[in-house]
């Protein structure tokens, strides 16, 4: 799934549960968490997302920095409320 940030993500779990955000390592995809998520969704909404150029998120023309990755995550969280 994607929202206005063009960040691909997977959000699983009960809507009113606290959100657990999983950020995978570079050159990996959110699927690396598949096994663990099965347990975590019992108590959390689990948000997995892809960095630009990783997983299903399209690469952009910007030089990526930690600050840019953090800003994109914050924009995604804002859009998901």
């Amino acid at each position: 799934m994607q929202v206005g940030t063009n960040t691909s993500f997977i959000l699983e779990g009960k809507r009113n549960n606290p959100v657990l955000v999983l950020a995978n390592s570079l050159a990996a995809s959110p699927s690396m968490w598949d096994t663990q998520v099965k347990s975590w969704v019992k108590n959390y909404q689990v948000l997995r997302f892809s960095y630009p150029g990783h997983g299903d998120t399209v690469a952009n023309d910007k030089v990526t920095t930690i600050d840019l990755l953090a800003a994109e995550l914050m924009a995604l969280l804002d859009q998901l409320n």
Side-chain angles (χ1 to χ4, degrees):
M1 179 178 282
Q2 290 189 345
V3 293
T5 63
N6 294 321
T7 300
S8 179
F9 68 93
I10 303 165
L11 181 61
E12 302 171 88
K14 294 179 184 173
R15 186 176 185 132
N16 292 325
N17 284 352
V19 177
L20 174 63
V21 177
L22 303 178
N24 46 270
S25 58
L26 294 176
S29 74
S31 64
M32 71 179 281
W33 302 104
D34 286 350
T35 302
Q36 294 88 342
V37 167
K38 293 174 187 173
S39 294
W40 293 334
V41 294
K42 295 173 186 172
N43 298 306
Y44 299 96
Q45 285 188 83
V46 179
L47 175 63
R48 299 183 273 170
F49 67 100
S50 297
Y51 303 118
H54 295 75
D56 293 329
T57 301
V58 178
N60 57 36
D61 294 335
K62 300 175 186 175
V63 174
T64 301
T65 65
I66 295 296
D67 290 338
L68 179 59
L69 295 176
E72 290 180 357
L73 173 58
M74 294 306 294
L76 175 61
L77 290 169
D78 286 345
Q79 289 184 2
L80 294 174
N81 292 319

